[in-house]
Amino acid sequence: MIVLKSSDGETFEIEEAVALQSQTIAHMVEDDCVENGIPLANVTGEILAKIIEYCKKHVEGGGGSEEELKIWDKEFIENIDQSTLFNLILAANYLNIKTLLDLTCQRVADMIS
Amino acid sequence: MQPQPHVSPTTANAGISAAFESQRVRKNRGNYNCGRCGQPKKGHVCHLTLPSTPDVPSTPISLEPVSCISAAASSSRSTILSLTSLTSAPPRQSITHLRRALSFDDVDARNSTQDESDLDPMSTDLDLDLDLDTDVVQPGRFHAVGLWEVLKRLPPSSLLMAARVCKGWRETARRMWKAAEELRIRVPERAQIGYIGSLLQKCPRLIRLSLKIESDIDATTLACIAFSCPNLEVLEISTSGSAVNRISGDELARFVANKQGLTSLKMEGCTNLGGFALSSSSLSTLWLADLHSLSKMIFNCPNLKEISLEFSRQEDDSTDLVTMVDGLGRTCTRLQNIHIASLKLSHTVVLALTAGDFRGLRMLSLVLGIGITDASVAAISSSYTNLELLDLSGSSITDTGLGMICDFLPDTLSKLLVALCPNITSSGIQFATAQLPLLELMDCGMTVSDPDSDNATTEEKSLTPQRTSGYNQKVFIKHKRLKKLSLWGCSSLDALFLNCPELKDLNLNLCSNLQPESLVLQCPKLQLVYASGCQDLLTRAIRKQVSENFGASENHLPRKRLSDGSKRVLAAPLFYQETREDDIYTGKRRKIEKEVCKIIQ
């Protein structure tokens, strides 16, 4: 289990498989500096909760078929307000979660065009 | 027009210039500021000009600070651009395809309608991210990487619009253009002259360009391309609608000769070429379609590996194919893939081809030539013994020809296409499948009589059933490696037995006389069955056989969520009704390989 600490002091405990979707966290785990939890100074608790929700759904082998995932993604991305969306982009970029970054940026791109 | 309301400042819009900040402040006091320059309207004549296109939506939805360049997407503007990016393109893209009668790849290029499959990632985008942070004006938290990512996913037309938002965005968009390596444009009918030119000038690093023209194209566009894209390597021009390609042979030759790095050139609609002498040391792929009556065709391209020449299907084509092939044999000896589609293909052309020294020839496709005979086959198969693909669709070869192919090419041939060959019978085909152990693709469409056939798709595999008059043709195929089989249009076929463990794709379109009870499919990996024009009973029989095969090959018993919401262990599929078959194949976990068999009608 990996502990993540958001910038406002909230802690989240998640399974390693869920956390490893973030390349940043994966590298930290490789470098073995995760004993006391991982502080994420750029990410607030609310956003981190959303990200964990996304990662839990997308962890390998679970969650259902591809179509179900797509539907879930669509609902996930359409039910958040703009500020959360932007913060998600920032966080996904910082945590280097490619799929989430794709999803969020694509949403914004769709909103622009 | 009022400036659009921004989201609250805390949401960090990158690149919001100071002007907008002040506008917002003033806006709170009342609606009397000029929308363009922010000055109060009273007694004010605005000198700023906004780009005025009638199609631009009057309310950009919200000034999102991030936008992404993505592959081509259609927009409300008159031109449609597409830039490829690291991510897959939005589904709005329009893909340009050059029509090929023969695709040398396994996947038929025409069938891929998904945009994602055509995009190439541009890896240079990421390298530029580091520069963005320092240069782009960004007072907010939403830093440049976010902007870059979103801009990457925008269609080019939206990118052009995004560049008008503010200086920061303009700068980022400009960098995006500079980073662009691949561009796909659809040029509509009423495109402004010079639009392509101005667009291409934004992308000096362009390597691959794909144009789909809907209006006429001539040498000025070629000159534009030559001038603006010094690093161009791949150029594709496809036509659609009533577009006329007015490029002449000389102009094309000049373009090719001057473009030093050009490796791939694909052009459609080449009716006005007239004759050309192409000289290029870098060209390795050349596809020309709709050729007609060429006076001379000289290919001085020693590195040419793939050539595809499709002549128009008009009877008055006066091209001298023999001389052309002679020339090819002398100058382009490194050819590996040859595709010629012409009604004038004849035995003499084939002899000229075999006289050439194409040592590396792997794929040979000579379609539509009724003049190709068994003697031609003998010549081909004895000269080029390493062929992997042989396509002689539309020719008059017979079973003897097939026998010769099996004699000479059993060690390498993996794709055999003999669609629309009226003289082939099922015994020849069965001999062929028995003698060609590496065969993966076999196309024998329309080899049974029925003359009103549609397009000769050479991609399909099929076995030609016996072509004796009348019905009651039976085909038995047992092959270990066969993956794709096409029996489209074999309307005399009434019994089919297939024992092909690797078969993935089966085409039974228009096999209208195939009896459901004489159909045996022992193909557990079957994924796609085309059955349009077949009887309903036949379709049901197919489904049943497929599900039986599928059920038999399952090692574990996955849980399926049935339509009534409950989860059951999959029992023998025979217990399920026809209508439930789709449910059986849904609900699989992602890791399990999808073994859904689709039946397309």
Side-chain angles (χ1 to χ4, degrees):
Chain A
M1 299 294 280
I2 293 188
V3 175
L4 302 177
K5 299 188 202 158
S6 70
S7 61
D8 46 1
E10 285 187 53
T11 55
F12 298 82
E13 196 170 336
I14 53 178
E15 294 191 357
E16 197 165 311
V18 174
L20 287 182
Q21 292 183 59
S22 151
Q23 289 298 313
T24 315
I25 297 182
H27 288 151
M28 287 192 200
V29 168
E30 268 178 36
D31 294 344
D32 208 21
C33 40
V34 296
E35 286 93 17
N36 300 334
I38 302 178
L40 301 171
N42 290 356
V43 188
T44 63
E46 181 197 341
I47 302 298
L48 192 52
K50 274 277 175 194
I51 291 183
I52 290 174
E53 185 189 339
Y54 177 87
C55 289
K56 277 191 178 153
K57 191 71 184 167
H58 278 253
V59 73
E60 287 294 316
S65 71
E66 284 193 36
E67 289 88 22
E68 282 181 23
L69 268 178
K70 281 202 186 128
I71 297 173
W72 188 89
D73 280 350
K74 198 157 170 296
E75 280 217 32
F76 178 77
I77 208 73
E78 279 177 3
N79 288 343
I80 53 182
D81 62 339
Q82 281 187 8
S83 62
T84 317
L85 183 59
F86 296 144
N87 286 322
L88 269 179
I89 294 183
L90 284 171
N93 179 59
Y94 175 68
L95 290 173
N96 205 339
I97 307 174
K98 185 170 182 324
T99 45
L100 182 59
L101 191 63
D102 284 346
L103 182 67
T104 44
C105 290
Q106 190 57 61
R107 171 83 182 139
V108 176
D110 291 343
M111 283 156 87
I112 290 185
S113 51
Chain B
M1 183 176 105
Q2 290 305 312
Q4 296 309 310
H6 290 275
V7 293
S8 71
T10 55
T11 56
N13 299 310
I16 296 176
S17 61
F20 276 123
E21 296 280 354
S22 57
Q23 272 180 348
R24 247 186 301 139
V25 169
R26 279 196 216 119
K27 183 179 186 285
N28 293 336
R29 291 208 220 127
N31 292 345
Y32 46 78
N33 293 331
C34 170
R36 293 176 187 175
C37 55
Q39 304 299 319
K41 271 184 193 165
K42 202 170 179 183
H44 157 75
V45 174
C46 192
H47 295 291
L48 292 183
T49 49
L50 280 178
S52 55
T53 43
D55 301 331
V56 173
S58 56
T59 56
I61 302 186
S62 54
L63 290 181
E64 316 289 357
V66 283
S67 55
C68 286
I69 294 183
S70 59
S74 49
S75 74
S76 56
R77 290 200 52 162
S78 54
T79 56
I80 293 180
L81 306 175
S82 61
L83 291 176
T84 58
S85 69
L86 275 177
T87 59
S88 57
R92 279 188 299 280
Q93 300 167 5
S94 57
I95 291 299
T96 67
H97 282 293
L98 279 186
R99 278 165 272 140
R100 306 166 74 164
L102 171 67
S103 160
F104 289 121
D105 309 319
D106 277 341
V107 176
D108 191 340
R110 283 171 302 165
N111 289 338
S112 59
T113 50
Q114 288 310 312
D115 300 334
E116 287 83 50
S117 59
D118 287 324
L119 295 180
D120 296 322
M122 283 199 314
S123 57
T124 54
D125 286 329
L126 280 187
D127 298 341
L128 292 181
D129 286 341
L130 303 173
D131 303 343
L132 287 177
D133 277 333
T134 51
D135 292 340
V136 176
V137 174
Q138 34 176 357
R141 271 193 306 149
F142 204 74
H143 58 81
V145 176
L147 178 63
W148 183 264
E149 289 292 323
V150 176
L151 276 177
K152 241 179 12 185
R153 290 163 175 82
L154 272 187
S157 48
S158 297
L159 183 62
L160 289 177
M161 284 197 275
R164 294 188 216 127
V165 165
C166 59
K167 279 188 194 164
W169 284 38
R170 194 177 67 197
E171 200 45 41
T172 312
R174 199 168 62 83
R175 284 168 198 270
M176 195 128 307
W177 284 116
K178 274 194 177 166
E181 286 189 345
E182 179 167 341
L183 190 63
R184 296 187 197 203
I185 307 180
R186 177 171 80 89
V187 181
E189 287 188 41
R190 286 172 304 264
Q192 298 161 359
I193 300 174
Y195 180 79
I196 298 181
S198 66
L199 197 63
L200 290 177
Q201 292 215 325
K202 289 190 207 268
C203 336
R205 294 179 62 175
L206 205 61
I207 293 181
R208 293 176 288 273
L209 174 62
S210 170
L211 289 175
K212 183 170 180 190
I213 54 166
E214 290 176 358
S215 58
D216 296 354
I217 188 173
D218 60 7
T220 44
T221 319
L222 266 192
C224 248
I225 298 172
F227 176 70
S228 322
C229 311
N231 299 329
L232 197 66
E233 286 176 20
V234 174
L235 176 61
E236 281 187 33
I237 299 178
S238 61
T239 57
S240 78
S242 57
V244 175
N245 184 340
R246 295 186 197 283
I247 299 176
S248 78
D250 291 337
E251 290 156 355
L252 186 65
R254 214 174 309 135
F255 175 78
V256 169
N258 289 338
K259 266 268 158 255
Q260 308 258 336
L262 195 67
T263 57
S264 167
L265 174 63
K266 304 184 183 178
M267 210 157 74
E268 285 185 355
C270 312
T271 41
N272 290 318
L273 278 185
F276 53 80
L278 289 183
S279 248
S280 165
S281 56
S282 53
L283 201 63
S284 72
T285 306
L286 179 63
W287 293 9
L288 297 172
D290 303 320
L291 297 163
H292 184 73
S293 291
L294 295 170
S295 55
K296 67 171 171 148
M297 290 170 80
I298 299 177
F299 301 95
N300 202 348
C301 313
N303 283 324
L304 201 60
K305 296 243 166 49
E306 180 170 321
I307 189 165
S308 164
L309 302 168
E310 296 208 3
F311 291 82
S312 66
R313 300 185 190 186
Q314 298 169 15
E315 291 294 331
D316 58 346
D317 187 0
S318 62
T319 316
D320 185 356
L321 287 171
V322 179
T323 322
M324 176 195 85
V325 172
D326 258 341
L328 270 180
R330 269 178 280 120
T331 53
C332 308
T333 50
R334 296 214 188 129
L335 275 173
Q336 290 176 1
N337 305 343
I338 297 181
H339 168 79
I340 305 180
S342 164
L343 292 170
K344 303 280 185 211
L345 279 173
S346 65
H347 182 58
T348 28
V349 177
V350 173
L351 287 180
L353 194 70
T354 52
D357 186 25
F358 301 112
R359 287 203 204 113
L361 196 61
R362 294 279 171 272
M363 299 190 184
L364 180 59
S365 158
L366 302 169
V367 300
L368 300 182
I370 269 293
I372 294 182
T373 61
D374 286 344
S376 327
V377 174
I380 293 174
S381 46
S382 53
S383 316
Y384 300 116
T385 49
N386 289 331
L387 283 180
E388 289 168 10
L389 178 149
L390 183 58
D391 183 352
L392 295 171
S393 299
S395 61
S396 6
I397 63 176
T398 68
D399 291 348
T400 326
L402 281 181
M404 280 192 271
I405 295 175
C406 299
D407 276 341
F408 286 104
L409 302 172
D411 301 328
T412 51
L413 199 65
S414 65
K415 302 190 173 125
L416 180 61
L417 299 95
V418 285
L420 283 168
C421 293
N423 299 328
I424 293 208
T425 71
S426 64
S427 52
I429 299 301
Q430 290 182 174
F431 181 74
T433 45
Q435 297 290 320
L436 294 171
L438 295 176
L439 202 60
E440 288 180 8
L441 182 150
M442 184 114 185
D443 179 4
C444 314
M446 296 299 296
T447 44
V448 185
S449 43
D450 215 346
D452 37 16
S453 65
D454 29 359
N455 47 349
T457 52
T458 55
E459 263 295 23
E460 303 170 10
K461 290 188 277 187
S462 63
L463 289 183
T464 52
Q466 284 180 349
R467 190 198 154 266
T468 58
S469 59
Y471 300 115
N472 304 325
Q473 308 304 322
K474 300 179 194 347
V475 169
F476 295 82
I477 301 167
K478 187 176 151 127
H479 198 283
K480 288 207 190 94
R481 293 222 185 141
L482 201 60
K483 288 203 183 125
K484 273 176 132 193
L485 179 61
S486 170
L487 288 159
W488 60 278
C490 294
S491 47
S492 293
L493 184 64
D494 78 336
L496 179 62
F497 174 89
L498 287 182
N499 181 346
C500 306
E502 295 285 324
L503 194 69
K504 292 211 172 90
D505 191 304
L506 175 64
N507 189 330
L508 294 172
N509 282 341
L510 296 176
C511 289
S512 38
N513 285 311
L514 191 56
Q515 300 303 316
E517 57 272 2
S518 357
L519 174 74
V520 178
L521 294 176
Q522 292 176 356
C523 314
K525 287 202 184 170
L526 201 55
Q527 283 176 7
L528 212 52
V529 176
Y530 298 87
S532 75
C534 294
Q535 308 166 8
D536 286 337
L537 284 175
L538 180 68
T539 319
R540 281 209 223 149
I542 297 174
R543 269 188 219 270
K544 189 149 165 283
Q545 304 240 359
V546 162
S547 63
E548 277 171 23
N549 287 333
F550 177 73
S553 69
E554 282 273 304
N555 298 331
H556 53 280
L557 298 174
R559 287 161 298 156
K560 312 266 189 250
R561 192 173 285 283
L562 297 181
S563 53
D564 60 353
S566 58
K567 273 192 179 176
R568 305 252 171 80
V569 171
L570 179 64
L574 292 174
F575 288 110
Y576 288 104
Q577 299 166 8
E578 293 286 339
T579 50
R580 283 265 187 93
E581 298 219 10
D582 290 333
D583 296 339
I584 294 177
Y585 299 121
T586 56
K588 284 189 167 283
R589 286 174 290 172
R590 270 197 302 179
K591 272 203 168 159
I592 299 176
E593 201 184 295
K594 258 192 162 180
E595 294 184 45
V596 181
C597 180
K598 284 197 288 191
I599 300 186
I600 298 180
Q601 286 192 290

